[in-house]
Structure formats: C-alpha cells, structure tokens
Amino acid sequence: MTVCALRMNRKMIYRKRQRAMKRKTMLKTALLFAAALITALISINAISTAFAKNAEEGITVTVSSGDTLWGIAQKYNPENKDIRSVINKILRANGMTDSNIRAGDTLVIPVN
C-alpha cells in the first residue's frame, strides 16, 4: 500500500466512526424524547383521573319521610348558590329525570 492509500483508508475509518457517533447520539436523543413523552402522557392521565374521581365524589344522603329535593339541596347548598343549579347537579349526579324522591332513596350530593 502506498502512503496515499493509507491516508485514504484512515479518512474512511474516521468518517465511519463519526457516522457511528452521530447515529448513537441521535438514538440517545430519540430515546430521551420518547421517555419524556411517555412520562408526560402518564402524568396527564393521572391528573385527569384525579379530576374525574373528584367530580364523581359526593355526599351520600338517605331520603327521610317528608324530605324534598328542594330541602335537601338547600341543606347542602355550598356558598348559597342558586338552589335550582344545585338541584340540577343532584339530578344529573343521580341520573334522575325528575325531582320525585321517596323515603329510603339514596342520593349522591355532588361536592363541586
């Protein structure tokens, strides 16, 4: 081999090493990005689950004789909001279409 051929061979080896290092760096970057994305998705899922759980939580009340939905809504009315909106929330939380309740019924009063 001539000196010129040896220099060309060294350049080729150097370029191959450079390409290999670039590929390694790109792979590390892609893996880091994927890990960050997965972590973000898991965090978002945990947060949305926590909000959904809080929305479903409420106070369980057993209806007594003489109770009305209006009276129950007044009793558990947070911050004296409009009583009609509280009644609507109670109706939605319990899957009710009207305000007819009977003694012994169990109602969920939404906390929010």
Side-chain angles (χ1 to χ4, degrees):
M1 255 189 189
T2 66
V3 176
C4 190
L6 286 173
R7 284 186 190 154
M8 293 284 273
N9 196 20
R10 285 183 189 156
K11 283 184 181 180
M12 287 176 54
I13 292 172
Y14 177 76
R15 286 182 187 154
K16 283 183 182 180
R17 285 182 184 163
Q18 289 297 325
R19 281 188 235 129
M21 286 175 39
K22 281 183 183 179
R23 280 194 298 266
K24 215 182 234 187
T25 303
M26 288 178 66
L27 180 62
K28 286 180 184 178
T29 303
L31 289 174
L32 183 63
F33 178 75
L37 183 64
I38 290 170
T39 303
L41 290 174
I42 290 171
S43 298
I44 290 170
N45 186 32
I47 291 169
S48 65
T49 303
F51 279 123
K53 186 177 179 185
N54 285 342
E56 292 173 2
E57 288 180 355
I59 302 168
T60 304
V61 175
T62 303
V63 178
S64 301
S65 179
D67 281 347
T68 63
L69 196 56
W70 185 278
I72 293 170
Q74 280 182 326
K75 184 176 179 182
Y76 294 98
N77 186 0
E79 303 167 4
N80 294 322
K81 291 184 178 179
D82 182 20
I83 197 72
R84 293 169 292 193
S85 67
V86 176
I87 290 172
N88 284 330
K89 286 182 183 179
I90 294 171
L91 290 173
R92 275 186 266 133
N94 292 283
M96 300 168 59
T97 55
D98 57 31
S99 60
N100 295 330
I101 56 174
R102 296 185 191 115
D105 287 348
T106 303
L107 298 175
V108 175
I109 311 299
V111 175
N112 304 7

